[in-house]
Structure formats: structure tokens, C-alpha cells
Amino acid sequence: METGNETKVISLKDRANKGASAAPEQMIPNAPAPADFDWGSIMKRNSENGSRQMTDREKANKGVIRSHRLKN
């Protein structure tokens, strides 16, 4: 229902224009400041996650091979 001149229709074009004109700090409130950004810690975390995934996959693959009796 309409009340006065207000409608419940949202214009996607107007919404996109408002989002583009907003400052990046306002769009992402919990984003770290560029000065606090540390590539070394991110690279370390990525390598730890990669090695953990490899060991998990190897363990899962061994279980599948064993359960399907693919190898001796």
C-alpha cells in the first residue's frame, strides 16, 4: 500500500549510485586500515592452511582407497 508519496519500490540504479559515491571506509566498517595490513602474516596463514588441507586430503583419500578396496 502507498502512504502519501512514499512507495515501497527501491530503485536499484539509485541504490547503486549511492553506494558508489560513498567512501570506502563507510562501506566496510570492520576493514583493517592499510597501515595495519601485513602480507607476511597472511602468507604464513595461507601456507599453514594449505599444508593442513593436504594432510586432511591424504588421510581422506587413504580411507576411500581402503573402504573401496582399490589397492592392497
Side-chain angles (χ1 to χ4, degrees):
M1 292 175 95
E2 289 188 27
T3 57
N5 289 334
E6 294 181 30
T7 63
K8 293 186 179 183
V9 178
I10 299 172
S11 171
L12 296 178
K13 181 180 175 188
D14 293 341
R15 191 176 197 184
N17 289 339
K18 286 180 184 177
S21 65
E25 294 83 19
Q26 294 173 351
M27 291 174 53
I28 306 171
N30 295 333
D36 297 339
F37 197 75
D38 184 22
W39 281 107
S41 64
I42 292 173
M43 290 171 50
K44 182 179 177 184
R45 187 172 6 128
N46 285 343
S47 66
E48 290 171 354
N49 287 341
S51 63
R52 181 180 44 82
Q53 282 182 344
M54 282 179 47
T55 56
D56 289 347
R57 286 180 181 160
E58 288 174 3
K59 186 190 291 185
N61 286 341
K62 286 180 185 178
V64 168
I65 289 170
R66 202 176 306 125
S67 66
H68 290 282
R69 297 180 184 166
L70 297 175
K71 293 183 180 177
N72 290 336

